[in-house]
Amino acid sequence: MSLSASPLRIAIIGVGIIGKAHAQRLSSGATDAVLVAVADADPEAARAAAARWGVAANSVDAVLARDDVDAVIVAVPSGLHAHVAVASLDAGKHVLLEKPIEVTAEAADEIIDAEKRAGKVLSVASQRRFAAENQFVFRAIRDGYLGRITSATIEVPLWRSQEYYDSGSWRGTWALDGGGALMNQGVHLVDLALWLLGEADEVYAHTGLLAHKRIEVEDTITITARLRNGTLLTFLATTAAYDGLPIRYAVLGDGGSLVIEDEKLTRFHSLSGASPAFDGSPVDQPLAQLEDFVTAVKSGGTPLVTSAQARAAVAFIEAAYLSARTGAPVRPR
């Protein structure tokens, strides 16, 4: 059966909060894909999800053996991504992988190697790229409306209760969460920064566990970084900021500046007096990324978020954690 002529048949592996959100999107009919099966380490959770959406409940091995599954969405704990994604690719399935790609660059490399072996499409959830405002910023930087980018600031001031961390034994662990406020919450903005501004040459970081208990990882991190093109970046990520502050970033250049707060453009000024076209229409970002993945699979194209780019975000985060442990600047590897 030609994938281009029929809906993409997708299974979801992992039916926690994120997996259920994917199932709801697939069941809405809003994209050229259908949900055909679910799997989870908890068989009862898989059966409940299957009953809710009228699909089959299988083990992971059984899902990957099915001929009527073209692609899988992997929504298991972060430290299990390589295990599931590699098995899925080796079984000949396309993969949309929840963020981050993995919790170490070494594990990310295992996934990338499997992607090359399989010749299948793999993309990693980083839906903020699809927001109209962030697309506008990308074009503004690319087309020179801000001149040379000299610096940028990013703030991810979130709140997560102690109950959030206590709700799952994997949360807040190095092995399965891969880190705290930066790896789990800040990774979207790390990806956005590298996509907009370029990869990092050196990072320097401080971390703290300041407002939570019984977790191994940080709830607050500050970073300064020098990018390969010379741009200087400051980055804050925290889950200890009560409550409701906007996620904010500013990009500053010698020909203009802009500020984004909670995906809204609050300032744009260019010496040129011009700007890229921008209509500001709301975008369902996760749905837009799902559509991008489906289109890449059906057309044989490249998704907006690639495995190499997702690996770069993890390498940046690993460098920040190593810097915090050693007290020295670190070059991402």
Side-chain angles (χ1 to χ4, degrees):
M1 180 169 51
S2 169
L3 292 182
S4 61
S6 59
L8 190 70
R9 300 167 299 181
I10 296 180
I12 294 174
I13 299 175
V15 291
I17 293 172
I18 301 300
K20 289 186 178 73
H22 282 297
Q24 190 62 42
R25 272 180 226 107
L26 285 169
S27 300
S28 71
T31 190
D32 192 17
V34 293
L35 180 66
V36 296
V38 297
D40 196 276
D42 179 351
E44 183 53 41
R47 284 191 290 270
R52 177 176 176 182
W53 282 288
V55 298
N58 295 116
S59 68
V60 174
D61 288 343
V63 160
L64 297 183
R66 290 178 63 135
D67 292 334
D68 64 343
V69 172
D70 306 310
V72 297
I73 295 174
V74 177
V76 300
S78 304
L80 300 176
H81 283 184
H83 176 73
V84 178
V86 169
S88 300
L89 290 161
D90 284 345
K93 312 302 183 186
H94 304 279
V95 176
L96 177 57
L97 183 59
E98 263 304 320
K99 58 81 181 169
I101 185 172
E102 245 288 354
V103 299
T104 67
E106 181 179 10
D109 287 337
E110 294 178 18
I111 296 172
I112 292 171
D113 288 344
E115 178 189 12
K116 292 175 180 176
R117 283 197 307 271
K120 298 296 180 179
V121 172
L122 182 138
S123 189
V124 179
S126 196
Q127 62 263 22
R128 287 182 181 271
R129 292 195 194 186
F130 294 85
E133 290 78 4
N134 294 330
Q135 289 282 330
F136 170 86
V137 174
F138 180 85
R139 294 192 300 272
I141 294 171
R142 180 196 63 191
D143 296 338
Y145 288 97
L146 306 183
R148 177 181 177 177
I149 306 305
T150 55
S151 62
T153 63
I154 296 176
E155 299 171 7
V156 189
L158 303 177
W159 172 252
R160 295 292 185 270
S161 67
Q162 185 63 45
E163 289 73 21
Y164 165 84
Y165 287 106
D166 290 342
S167 67
S169 60
W170 66 277
R171 293 194 185 277
T173 66
W174 285 112
L176 294 180
D177 227 356
L182 184 60
M183 180 67 86
N184 197 289
Q185 283 78 28
V187 62
H188 283 299
L189 275 295
V190 172
D191 172 78
L192 198 63
L194 301 184
W195 178 58
L196 294 173
L197 304 171
E199 293 191 22
D201 182 59
E202 183 179 87
V203 300
Y204 183 75
H206 294 281
T207 60
L209 179 57
L210 306 177
H212 298 93
K213 301 175 182 177
R214 298 184 295 279
I215 61 174
E216 301 170 354
V217 297
E218 88 288 352
D219 61 13
T220 304
I221 184 168
T222 59
I223 303 167
T224 57
R226 183 179 67 247
L227 307 186
R228 292 178 186 176
N229 58 17
T231 299
L232 300 180
L233 170 70
T234 64
F235 194 112
L236 163 71
T238 181
T239 56
Y242 190 86
D243 181 30
L245 294 172
I247 293 176
R248 179 185 188 276
Y249 72 87
V251 180
L252 313 176
D254 62 5
S257 60
L258 59 82
V259 177
I260 299 284
E261 293 188 349
D262 280 346
E263 312 287 35
K264 299 297 181 185
L265 181 67
T266 61
R267 174 183 171 84
F268 178 86
H269 181 70
S270 174
L271 283 174
S272 70
S275 71
F278 176 59
D279 63 13
S281 299
V283 174
D284 183 332
Q285 297 168 36
L287 178 60
Q289 179 155 25
L290 176 59
E291 292 175 334
D292 176 75
F293 172 71
V294 171
T295 298
V297 171
K298 293 168 83 62
S299 68
T302 301
L304 181 61
V305 184
T306 67
S307 57
Q309 293 166 336
R311 183 201 185 280
V314 172
F316 179 99
I317 292 168
E318 277 195 307
Y321 286 153
L322 180 57
S323 173
R325 291 195 298 271
T326 63
V330 174
R331 184 184 182 95
R333 61 183 180 88

